[in-house]
Amino acid sequence: GTLIRETRRTPARGSGVNRWEQLADLLTDCSVLLVNGAGKSPSLVLSGRGISVIEVEGLAAEIAEKIFRREPINIYKKKTVTECGATCRGTGMSCA
């Protein structure tokens, strides 16, 4: 079966932080929001309202099932790219 119980329309663009406050109001029954990407402002507003924003790569339905089964989802979390600076060398997998 599908995990989709309902869909909700997001607030209109262009209202700044107010948009994220309105979104938080729509998601009061949610504790986790799986996203492909989220900016700093929406993440801060939503997390401040008790909603964990998790950036993931993969199928949301599969990841949600793992969360419900209390299985780890670390392999699905988006990797953040950081700059090492002028002394960076190696394979690009980490700073040496």
Side-chain angles (χ1 to χ4, degrees):
T2 181
L3 290 176
I4 298 175
R5 301 182 95 191
E6 66 179 288
T7 58
R8 301 174 192 183
R9 289 201 162 286
T10 58
R13 293 179 179 190
S15 59
V17 173
N18 190 43
R19 180 181 192 207
W20 309 121
E21 292 288 347
Q22 291 173 8
L23 183 61
D25 290 341
L26 288 172
L27 302 175
T28 57
D29 58 335
C30 300
S31 59
V32 175
L33 183 62
L34 300 174
V35 298
N36 184 262
K40 190 176 205 172
S41 184
S43 293
L44 286 173
V45 170
L46 293 167
S47 65
R49 299 278 292 274
I51 302 169
S52 297
V53 179
I54 303 174
E55 290 189 50
V56 294
E57 295 175 325
L59 297 174
E62 288 178 11
I63 300 166
E65 282 183 36
K66 290 191 176 293
I67 290 172
F68 288 127
R69 289 192 304 244
R70 301 202 187 290
E71 295 176 10
I73 62 163
N74 290 340
I75 63 169
Y76 298 100
K77 288 184 180 178
K78 253 188 174 173
K79 310 301 182 268
T80 56
V81 178
T82 58
E83 291 185 34
C84 297
T87 61
C88 190
R89 63 184 185 280
T91 64
M93 298 304 288
S94 64
C95 293

